[in-house]
Amino acid sequence: MPAPRIIRMAMLGFLASAMLATSTFAEPQQGEQIVLSSTEHHAPGAGAQGFSALDTEKIRETEEKYVFETEVSKIMKIIINSLYKNRDIFLRELISNASDALDKIRFMSLTDSASMSTNSNLNISITADPVARTLTITDSGVGMTRQQLKDNLGTIAKSGTSEFLSKMEESKKDDVSLIGQFGVGFYSVFLVADRVTVASKSNDDPAQHVWVSDAVNDFTIAEDPRGNTLGRGSQITLHLKEDAVEFLEPSNVESLISKYSEFINFPIFLWKGHNETIISEKSETLESNDDVEEEEIDSEKTEPEELTEEVWEWSQINTQKPIWTRSPKDITEEEYVEFYKTFTKSNDGDPIAWSHFKGEGDVDFRSIMYIPPRPDANFYQSLASATNNVKLFIKRVFITDDVAGDFFPRWLSFLKAIVDAEDLPLNVSRETLQQHKTLKMISKRLVKKALDMFAQLAKNDEKKYSEFISHYGVALKYGAIESQSHRKKVASLLRFRSSQNAQDAVVGLDHYIERMKPDQKHIFYASGMTIEEIEQSPFLERLVADGYEVLYFVDPIDEMLMQNMPGYDGKSFSNIAKGDIKIGDDSDEAKAEHKELEETFKPLQNWLKSTLSEYIDKVTISKRLATSPMAIVTPEFGLTGHMEKLLAAQGMNAAQKEDALYKFMASQKKTLEVNPKHPIIKALLDQVESGEPDEDITQLVTVLYETTSIRSGFQVKDLRGFTQRIEEVVGKGVGAEVAKAPTLKKEEEEEEEEEPIVPEDLFVGGHDEL
C-alpha cells in the first residue's frame, strides 16, 4: 500500500478511537463524518454513553436506591406484559419528552440568556451501538437535578400514574395510546429495554447525575463519575432486550422518526452509515525491496483500484419543516405544493387549492388542508368507510391518522389535512378523541374553513373551480343532503349544466336566479341519464322556446337532492316532467283562451283517456309542448321515468317493497298532455268528432303513446307488443300484410313488468352523517 494510503487509514483509525474514547459529549453537526473499517465500532461518543468498570464501581459506592411507588410498579407490569404490539411508540415518547425539555430551556432563555451558555445548541441526537446492544437518545434541553430524577421518574407526584391506572381500569382494556396522556410516556422504554440509564445535567445542579433501573421494583441515583459530559440536557441509554434488536438498525429508527416526529421543532440527528466507493492507485509491487533502486520504484507503473469504505455521519432526519407553524404570507406557492407532496407521499399532481390558518379563541390549533388533484380511487364507493386523510399532531408530535371522521363529515373526507392542536393531551385515545370537547370545536372550524376555501376558489379561479366540481361536485351534493346546518352554504357552491350551457357544469343557483324572468317563480330542472337524453325530451320545447333556463340533472344523486332540498333562496324547484307547470302568460285573457281549448278538445281528451285507461289517469291540454304532439307527465308525487330507471338499478328487500311511500309513488298514474297546435292532434280530434275511430286509428294512437313514453323517459312495458305494432304500421305503409299484435290483458302485463326497485333510505330525509 502506498505511503499516502497507509497514513490516511492510520489517521482515520486514530480519529475513530478518539471519538469513541472521548469523555465529553460532542454536539452533532450535519455531515460530520468518520470512515471506519468493518471491524471498528461505529457509535460516536461512547464514553458519554457507557461506563468503564471503574465508573461502575464509583456509581455503586455513591448510589442511593429507591423503591418505585406502587402505582409506578403497576405501570411497569402493564407495559411489559400487555402492550407489546405497539412498542415502537417508545421512540415517539422519548423524542416528545426531549422536545418538551428543549422548549423549556428555550423559554427560560427569553428571560435568562445565561441559561443557554452551558450548551448553546438545541437538538436531539440518536445513536445505536450494536456491540453493546444499546440505543441512546440525547437532548440539550433543560435537564434534571438529582431530586427531579427521583420525582419525575419514580414517584406519583409528577408522573400521573394514578390517573393513568384509573383510566385503564375504566376502559377495561390495555390501551397503549393512553401512555403519555398523563405524563407516563417515559415508561414505554421498558417495552423494548430491560435496563435503562438516564444521565442528566441541569443548570440548577452543579453535578451530573445518573438514574438507573431494570424495571423490576427499584431504581438508583448516583453522581455521574464521568463528570459533566453533557453541559446541559439528558441522555437516555436503552439496553435493549434480545427481541428488540431491530431498533439498532438505523433504517428502522429513521423510519420511526419520519413516522412520528418528522415535524418536531428541533433538529433530530441520527448516526448512520453508508458505503462510498473511492479510487486509489495500486502499485504492481506490493512489497518494498531495499535492493531495488529508488529510480526503479518511481518508474513502476500503477493502476487505479476501486475500494468500498463505510462512512458514518450525523444525518438530520426531520428536514421537512412544519410549515403550518409559519405565517402564510412567508410561504411561497411552491413550498405549499412541495409540502403537499411530502405530506401525502403522492406524485399525482399539484393540489387544486389549500387553506392555511390558525384557530384561536376557545381552542388553539393550526391547520393546512388541501384539495387533492383528484379523488382517491373508489372514493365514492367507500364513503361509508373511514379514511386516513387527516393527520393529527399535538404540539408537532404525530399522534394518529385515524381521525378523519372526527374532523370532517364523510362528504368532505376527500380533503387531506394536518391538524396541530395545542389544547389536546398528548396521545389521547380513540375513545377520548370522540368525546373531547376541543376536537368537536376544531371540527366545526375545519368544516367552515373548507367551505370558505371552496367559495374563494369559485370567486377567484373559475377554471380551477370547474375542475374541482368535476371531481368533487357529487360529494358536495351529498353534503347538501346530509347536513342541514350547512345546506344553504353547500347549495350555493353547487354547479350544474343547463339549457344555456350544456357542455360544462358552471351554472350556480345564484347565477340562475339572477337570470330568471321577472314572472318566474320556480327553478326549472330536467333529469336524465345523459345530456343528450334530456335535450331530446319534449318537456324542454316550450320552456326553451320562451327563453326559460332549465338546469340539467344527470347525476343519480340529483333526484335525492331534490327530495331533501325543495328550494333555494326563496325559490322552489320544479321538475319540468312533473305536475302542472306554471309558465307563460297568466292573464285572464290567457286563462280564457286555455279554457276554450279545453272545451274544444274535450271529445279527444275523453276518447284518449278511455283508449289508454290502463296507462293514464287523465288527459290535459299542454302548456309545455311546442313541436311534439304529446308528452307523458308524472304527477307531483309520482315516479318520473328517470327515477324509475334509477330504482331499477338498485337492490330491494321485502320490507322495501312494502314501504308505504314507495307504494304510493309507484301507484300514481301518469297524465297525458296533448299539443293542441300539432297537426296529428288536430287530425285525431277530427276523427273523434266524425265518429268512433276505427281499430287502425286506435293502434296508431297506441304506438304514438308508446313512442311518446320513450321520449318522456319511460321504458316501454310491453316491448313485444310495441315492436309488433310498429311492424304492422310499417307493413301497411309498404303494402305488406303483417299479423296483428296481440293485445295483452292488464294482469298479463303486470306479470311481465319488472317492478322498480328502491334503496332502503331513498325516501328518508337528510341527516348530518352519511
Side-chain angles (χ1 to χ4, degrees):
M1 179 180 294
R5 171 68 175 162
I6 295 173
I7 294 172
R8 181 167 177 261
M9 288 302 296
M11 291 178 65
L12 289 172
F14 174 77
L15 177 59
S17 300
M19 290 186 71
L20 296 172
T22 180
S23 61
T24 303
F25 177 73
E27 288 293 338
Q29 300 295 326
Q30 176 76 18
E32 179 183 322
Q33 295 184 344
I34 182 172
V35 183
L36 305 172
S37 68
S38 59
T39 59
E40 290 175 315
H41 195 316
H42 63 251
Q49 298 167 23
F51 298 93
S52 66
L54 181 59
D55 291 334
T56 303
E57 186 63 31
K58 289 181 179 179
I59 290 175
R60 288 173 180 169
E61 291 175 359
T62 62
E63 69 183 8
E64 291 184 40
K65 183 174 288 188
Y66 302 91
V67 176
F68 283 119
E69 291 198 356
T70 304
E71 288 82 358
V72 178
S73 295
K74 290 181 180 179
I75 288 288
M76 301 292 192
K77 291 178 182 178
I78 291 174
I79 291 173
I80 294 172
N81 299 321
S82 305
L83 307 178
Y84 181 86
K85 292 181 180 179
N86 302 91
R87 61 182 185 165
D88 63 2
I89 67 160
F90 81 92
L91 191 59
R92 177 187 73 181
E93 296 301 325
L94 294 183
I95 293 176
S96 176
N97 289 346
S99 176
D100 287 344
L102 290 163
D103 273 327
K104 288 177 182 177
I105 193 63
R106 183 167 60 179
F107 179 75
M108 290 172 61
S109 69
L110 297 177
T111 55
D112 180 13
S113 58
S115 62
M116 291 285 287
S117 62
T118 49
N119 193 335
S120 59
N121 294 302
L122 297 178
N123 54 45
I124 302 167
S125 62
I126 302 174
T127 60
D129 185 343
V131 176
R133 210 165 73 202
T134 60
L135 184 69
T136 302
I137 298 91
T138 306
D139 70 74
S140 53
V142 70
M144 288 179 280
T145 65
R146 183 189 187 102
Q147 187 62 38
Q148 287 170 336
L149 282 170
K150 177 184 175 182
D151 293 342
N152 293 345
L153 304 184
T155 68
I156 190 173
K158 296 292 181 64
S159 65
T161 51
S162 179
E163 291 89 343
F164 173 79
L165 290 170
S166 175
K167 283 292 182 182
M168 293 286 281
E169 291 173 1
E170 288 177 11
S171 63
K172 304 296 184 183
K173 62 181 180 179
D174 300 326
D175 190 348
V176 72
S177 65
L178 289 174
I179 294 179
Q181 181 179 345
F182 302 98
V184 297
F186 168 77
Y187 299 125
S188 63
V189 295
F190 293 109
L191 290 167
V192 296
D194 49 25
R195 186 165 179 265
V196 177
T197 301
V198 180
S200 193
K201 174 65 176 69
S202 168
N203 288 338
D204 297 331
D205 196 324
Q208 179 171 304
H209 291 86
V210 179
W211 180 99
V212 183
S213 177
D214 56 9
V216 181
N217 296 310
D218 53 37
F219 60 93
T220 63
I221 299 178
E223 186 171 332
D224 196 330
R226 302 168 301 179
N228 182 4
T229 62
L230 297 171
R232 186 197 64 250
S234 298
Q235 185 175 74
I236 302 175
T237 301
L238 311 183
H239 302 265
L240 298 181
K241 300 174 182 178
E242 290 185 1
D243 64 352
V245 293
E246 63 190 272
F247 299 111
L248 295 172
E249 180 59 46
S251 60
N252 291 338
V253 176
E254 181 175 358
S255 177
L256 291 179
I257 295 172
S258 296
K259 177 180 179 181
Y260 289 119
S261 308
E262 185 175 6
F263 302 112
I264 288 290
N265 264 347
F266 306 96
I268 302 173
F269 291 97
L270 176 65
W271 186 249
K272 55 184 291 192
H274 64 276
N275 292 328
E276 285 190 2
T277 300
I278 64 170
I279 299 177
S280 66
E281 292 186 349
K282 178 182 177 182
S283 173
E284 291 182 349
T285 304
L286 299 180
E287 296 182 0
S288 62
N289 189 335
D290 294 339
D291 296 331
V292 180
E293 296 292 334
E294 185 176 346
E295 291 79 4
E296 293 179 16
I297 295 176
D298 293 338
S299 63
E300 286 177 352
K301 295 181 179 179
T302 60
E303 60 182 19
E305 177 186 19
E306 289 189 357
L307 298 175
T308 300
E309 294 180 331
E310 190 175 27
V311 177
W312 287 80
E313 64 183 353
W314 288 111
S315 177
Q316 184 176 345
I317 305 304
N318 59 333
T319 55
Q320 179 62 50
K321 300 299 182 183
I323 67 172
W324 65 80
T325 63
R326 296 160 52 190
S327 172
K329 65 182 181 181
D330 297 331
I331 305 173
T332 65
E333 183 173 323
E334 291 73 20
E335 286 180 296
Y336 278 120
V337 171
E338 186 59 32
F339 177 74
Y340 169 80
K341 293 179 179 179
T342 301
F343 153 52
T344 61
K345 296 178 173 57
S346 170
N347 248 349
D348 289 344
D350 295 351
I352 295 175
W354 55 83
S355 178
H356 179 190
F357 61 95
K358 180 180 180 181
E360 294 179 310
D362 296 334
V363 57
D364 290 337
F365 70 98
R366 294 176 183 268
S367 179
I368 299 180
M369 66 177 74
Y370 289 93
I371 304 174
R374 60 190 58 83
D376 293 335
N378 301 318
F379 167 70
Y380 288 107
Q381 288 75 23
S382 58
L383 271 177
S385 305
T387 61
N388 297 325
N389 285 348
V390 178
K391 292 185 182 294
L392 173 63
F393 290 76
I394 297 178
K395 298 176 183 177
R396 292 158 301 285
V397 177
F398 173 68
I399 302 302
T400 181
D401 59 1
D402 187 25
V403 289
D406 298 306
F407 282 121
F408 289 118
R410 287 178 181 150
W411 53 276
L412 283 179
S413 61
F414 60 85
L415 294 171
K416 297 184 185 292
I418 277 180
V419 176
D420 189 356
E422 296 289 335
D423 299 327
L424 284 171
L426 193 62
N427 303 328
V428 284
S429 69
R430 187 74 178 81
E431 291 77 11
T432 305
L433 273 175
Q434 291 176 327
Q435 300 171 4
H436 207 285
K437 181 178 66 174
T438 299
L439 183 140
K440 293 177 181 178
M441 291 193 298
I442 292 175
S443 175
K444 289 182 179 179
R445 297 286 293 276
L446 289 176
V447 173
K448 181 181 182 302
K449 283 292 184 180
L451 296 178
D452 289 343
M453 172 172 61
F454 304 155
Q456 282 296 112
L457 184 64
K459 179 180 178 182
N460 299 330
D461 195 329
E462 290 185 7
K463 182 178 180 182
K464 277 194 173 182
Y465 192 71
S466 179
E467 179 186 353
F468 165 72
I469 285 295
S470 69
H471 291 307
Y472 303 107
V474 172
L476 291 185
K477 291 174 183 177
Y478 272 111
I481 292 170
E482 298 300 325
S483 176
Q484 295 182 16
S485 58
H486 296 107
R487 181 167 295 156
K488 183 175 182 183
K489 179 71 171 179
V490 175
S492 71
L493 297 168
L494 299 177
R495 296 293 183 269
F496 305 93
R497 293 178 173 85
S498 80
S499 55
Q500 291 195 12
N501 191 332
Q503 300 303 315
D504 304 301
V506 296
V507 180
L509 296 178
D510 291 316
H511 308 149
Y512 181 98
I513 291 174
E514 288 173 4
R515 296 195 291 265
M516 284 176 62
K517 286 177 171 292
D519 60 343
Q520 185 177 341
K521 297 181 176 61
H522 304 284
I523 300 173
F524 296 121
Y525 72 90
S527 299
M529 305 301 286
T530 64
I531 295 297
E532 292 74 17
E533 178 185 321
I534 292 175
E535 291 190 326
Q536 293 171 9
S537 169
F539 304 120
L540 278 178
E541 296 171 355
R542 174 74 180 276
L543 287 163
V544 173
D546 288 354
Y548 290 94
E549 184 175 11
V550 180
L551 298 178
Y552 292 170
F553 289 175
V554 292
D555 290 328
I557 194 175
D558 289 331
E559 292 280 2
M560 193 182 300
L561 175 65
M562 290 299 96
Q563 292 182 35
N564 289 272
M565 192 176 73
Y568 177 80
D569 199 21
K571 303 292 184 180
S572 60
F573 288 97
S574 177
N575 189 334
I576 64 172
K578 297 181 76 171
D580 183 18
I581 196 166
K582 301 291 191 295
I583 58 173
D585 189 359
D586 197 32
S587 64
D588 292 339
E589 183 179 346
K591 290 178 180 179
E593 182 181 348
H594 186 77
K595 186 175 182 179
E596 184 179 341
L597 286 174
E598 289 278 1
E599 290 295 327
T600 302
F601 283 85
K602 195 169 189 63
L604 176 61
Q605 290 175 263
N606 292 335
W607 180 80
L608 288 173
K609 180 179 178 181
S610 174
T611 303
L612 303 172
S613 60
E614 294 182 1
Y615 313 106
I616 61 175
D617 181 52
K618 61 180 179 179
V619 180
T620 63
I621 301 301
S622 179
K623 295 180 180 179
R624 71 188 95 204
L625 296 178
T627 58
S628 298
M630 58 178 61
I632 300 172
V633 178
T634 301
E636 192 64 37
F637 299 104
L639 299 176
T640 63
H642 179 58
M643 178 63 87
E644 286 188 1
K645 291 175 185 176
L646 292 178
L647 297 181
Q650 306 297 319
M652 191 175 189
N653 57 39
Q656 291 164 345
K657 291 180 182 178
E658 297 302 317
D659 180 87
L661 181 57
Y662 164 69
K663 291 176 70 175
F664 169 75
M665 295 181 72
S667 66
Q668 300 297 299
K669 283 190 176 183
K670 312 298 187 290
T671 296
L672 180 66
E673 289 190 359
V674 296
N675 181 0
K677 297 180 181 180
H678 198 281
I680 290 180
I681 300 302
K682 291 179 179 179
L684 282 174
L685 177 61
D686 292 340
Q687 287 282 342
V688 170
E689 289 181 332
S690 63
E692 187 70 21
D694 60 20
E695 186 178 347
D696 288 342
I697 295 297
T698 301
Q699 185 183 48
L700 288 172
V701 166
T702 302
V703 171
L704 179 61
Y705 173 83
E706 289 170 325
T707 56
T708 299
S709 178
I710 295 173
R711 286 198 65 203
S712 299
F714 296 95
Q715 294 180 328
V716 175
K717 309 300 182 184
D718 179 15
L719 185 59
R720 181 180 60 181
F722 170 65
T723 55
Q724 289 185 343
R725 279 186 284 275
I726 291 292
E727 291 170 0
E728 189 174 343
V729 170
V730 173
K732 289 180 180 178
V734 298
E737 187 174 346
V738 179
K740 287 186 177 294
T743 301
L744 293 178
K745 294 181 180 179
K746 186 175 181 181
E747 294 79 10
E748 293 173 337
E749 290 180 0
E750 290 177 347
E751 289 179 4
E752 290 197 358
E753 178 183 337
E754 291 187 7
E755 187 176 9
I757 305 172
V758 62
E760 185 173 0
D761 61 349
L762 183 62
F763 302 110
V764 179
H767 44 82
D768 284 338
E769 291 291 338
L770 269 176

